[in-house]
Amino acid sequence: MAQVEVYSTLFCPYCARAKSLLGKKGVEYVNIDVMEEPNRRAEMMSRAGGRTSVPQIFINGEHIGGCDDLYALDRAGSLDAKLAS
């Protein structure tokens, strides 16, 4: 099973939507709340090419992007293969 990391905040609807999709797929993920751990925001930005918005999603260290990117991968039929690796 893939290692999935989600940088998020508690009140972000896009974060909730992305985590909901991962949950429906039975995926365990590491949630990194950048409001609870503000020092992790700089880490997120560095890993995500300077992006400051949440969520930022990584699968096996690969930057997937945000919520819309995750859903686009799912619609294209590519997400399950990434999650299985």
Side-chain angles (χ1 to χ4, degrees), residues 65-76:
C67 179
D68 291 343
D69 302 304
L70 185 70
Y71 272 83
L73 268 180
D74 191 41
R75 280 191 305 276

Side-chain angles (χ1 to χ4, degrees), residues 15-85:
C15 300
R17 194 167 166 246
K19 291 187 272 188
S20 174
L21 176 59
L22 293 170
K24 285 177 188 167
K25 293 194 170 284
V27 174
E28 291 187 24
Y29 57 88
V30 175
N31 183 58
I32 302 161
D33 188 318
V34 297
M35 289 189 76
E36 288 182 4
E37 299 180 76
N39 59 320
R40 304 288 301 266
R41 185 175 287 274
E43 171 189 291
M44 174 194 81
M45 290 169 57
S46 173
R47 292 182 70 196
R51 293 187 186 177
T52 59
S53 61
V54 290
Q56 293 300 322
I57 303 158
F58 294 82
I59 299 176
N60 291 329
E62 176 189 351
H63 182 231
I64 300 304
C67 179
D68 291 343
D69 302 304
L70 185 70
Y71 272 83
L73 268 180
D74 191 41
R75 280 191 305 276
S78 305
L79 182 58
D80 290 339
K82 284 190 180 294
L83 293 172
S85 61

